[in-house]
Amino acid sequence: MNTLYKQIPQVSKLLENPLIYAYLCEFFHEEIKMEIEKSLDELREKIRNKMTTEINYDDVVRNIVNRLKQKNKYSLRKVVNGTGTIVHTNLGRSLLSKQAIDNVVTVCSSYNNLEYNLELGCRGSRYDHVEQMIANIVGSEAALVVNNNASATMLCVATFGENKEVVVSRGELVEIGGSFRIPEIIKVSQAILKETGTTNRTHLRDYESATNEETAMYLKVHPSNYQILGFTKNVTNDEIVSLAHKMNQSRDKLIITMEDLGSGVFVDFNSYGLIKENTVKESVQSGIDLVTFSGDKLLGGPQAGIVVGKKEFIDQIKRHPLCRALRVGKMTIAALEGTLREYYEEKQAIKSIPTLNMIFKDANSLHKQATRLSKKINELSSVNSEVISIDSTVGGGSLPLSKLPSYGVSIQYKNLSTHLVEKFMRQNKIPIIGRISNEQYVIDVRTLCDGDEDIILLALNR
Ligand SMILES: *Cc1c(COP(=O)(O)O)cnc(C)c1O
């Protein structure tokens, strides 16, 4: 027994092992020493519990290296987005504005009035912090914030559609990003889907003929990530609203009108020369009862689902037990309030909300940026780069067919294949995600952030 203890390597000797001291570029000396000591403590514990009969020096080293590797890597971490897709769901969707980040840090590093009414000195509601602001921006009577748009939609359907029928056009029974499918959302909300119309054409008379005693809701869904072109017909919000109005005159239980907008835009892109996307305000103005949208798509804020519309209906939604289950935390509220405040001035919002800023970058300055980066890459040995004309996409199921003309830099490295270059960049300490276009590895400069160019150059230099 005693001899086993004596075989435990010395800390100072382990610190001299090249596999371990290689980590000196990533940790303080003391941190490495601490991991060694923890590992040796574990070993002593094992000896004490008679769980080991011999000590192998290489195993001890391997154990320490594994600890350091583990310590080194966060699972969720920063990456460089060189894909040119702005609202990239796999890469975390919208980046927060500086104001939003600062507010999260301030609110979350101290106590706060999350559910405390400072005026009256009593319990308050977490929803009070942002709801009025949202209602003011979109011109609605009321607003509600929950975990994400999928839950917002589910919550609305569950509140009004339980054991009743929800009428949806066959052209709008969409799937978004694999796990969000309208028929399934309606099913888990315990409502019954009543399909109407056809894939390419749905008329108002289709909604009318689908209506019966059991009808609880007319649900419109933004097709988000696809478009039907050619011989098409869709029913407008105005038409739906007037049909519901007509039907409701002779009913006890009202038919609710609702639109799942998906992205939810506050800025009129059309007035800036981009494709027309209905703003949340325009949806609300159509007189529709409820509108739902995401916080982290074109709004450019944190993950959240926002419901806006008529107060009496939103009050009813707030009383549904699911509402409590889907509530948001202080980090979301802090980030959302920071983001919403940017919208007091639209020009300011476009400058400081990264998602909007990236959409509005002009091709000229992108060309300049790509030229500069490409030149710097070519100064490195063994790498070749060219400026490539490329299309960025908005992503996140927004403006599905609109392409934003942009520029990228291609990267050819020694005699590595395109796929090896992709892998090498992806496995960088700060991973770099580019795209492969015409068999070439390309980084679109539109989605690069401050400091990203240096990360790319450093990765290529190694
Ligand atoms: C993106 C989207 C959703 C899902 O929103 P999340 O915020 O990701 O939950 C729902 N409906 C539509 C139409 C969408 O585009």
Side-chain angles (χ1 to χ4, degrees), residues 116-289:
Y116 185 72
N117 185 323
L118 290 172
E119 221 167 297
L120 303 176
C122 62
R123 188 172 198 277
S125 160
R126 67 178 59 219
Y127 295 111
D128 285 347
H129 303 289
V130 286
E131 285 176 6
Q132 195 53 51
M133 214 183 300
I134 296 168
N136 287 347
I137 295 172
V138 306
S140 65
E141 289 177 13
L144 169 69
V145 180
V146 290
N147 181 60
N148 57 10
N149 187 32
S151 37
T153 305
M154 197 176 108
L155 181 56
C156 292
V157 176
T159 304
F160 300 102
E162 193 182 339
N163 298 325
K164 298 257 178 211
E165 291 182 3
V166 174
V167 182
V168 188
S169 157
R170 289 198 171 87
E172 297 175 0
L173 289 171
V174 297
E175 168 178 312
I176 288 134
S179 51
F180 181 90
R181 308 173 96 189
I182 289 294
E184 285 165 16
I185 289 288
I186 290 175
K187 199 167 161 202
V188 295
S189 308
Q190 301 191 19
I192 300 149
L193 169 64
K194 178 90 174 187
E195 300 178 20
T196 196
T198 61
T199 308
N200 58 328
R201 286 171 74 84
T202 300
H203 306 268
L204 191 62
R205 62 169 187 271
D206 293 323
Y207 283 89
E208 199 161 357
S209 63
T211 309
N212 60 41
E213 280 306 299
E214 299 304 313
T215 307
M217 184 183 268
Y218 295 147
L219 173 61
K220 298 268 305 157
V221 182
H222 191 291
S224 286
N225 47 9
Y226 81 109
Q227 224 170 55
I228 298 172
L229 300 172
F231 188 54
T232 64
K233 165 88 179 76
N234 218 327
V235 176
T236 64
N237 282 3
D238 292 320
E239 292 172 300
I240 292 273
V241 169
S242 37
L243 177 64
H245 188 71
K246 191 177 97 187
M247 294 290 181
N248 283 343
Q249 288 183 333
S250 56
R251 296 170 69 96
D252 296 335
K253 188 136 176 26
L254 297 183
I255 296 174
I256 308 281
T257 54
M258 168 176 163
E259 182 175 28
D260 172 12
L261 254 188
S263 217
V265 198
F266 285 179
V267 172
D268 184 5
F269 284 126
N270 199 36
S271 69
Y272 293 90
L274 286 173
I275 275 186
K276 175 75 192 163
E277 181 80 7
N278 266 354
T279 62
V280 178
K281 194 174 201 160
E282 284 166 320
S283 282
V284 170
Q285 275 167 353
S286 71
I288 205 147
D289 295 322

Side-chain angles (χ1 to χ4, degrees), residues 350-363:
I350 288 169
K351 271 205 201 104
S352 50
I353 294 177
T355 297
L356 297 180
N357 185 272
M358 286 179 192
I359 291 172
F360 286 109
K361 277 183 183 169
D362 75 285

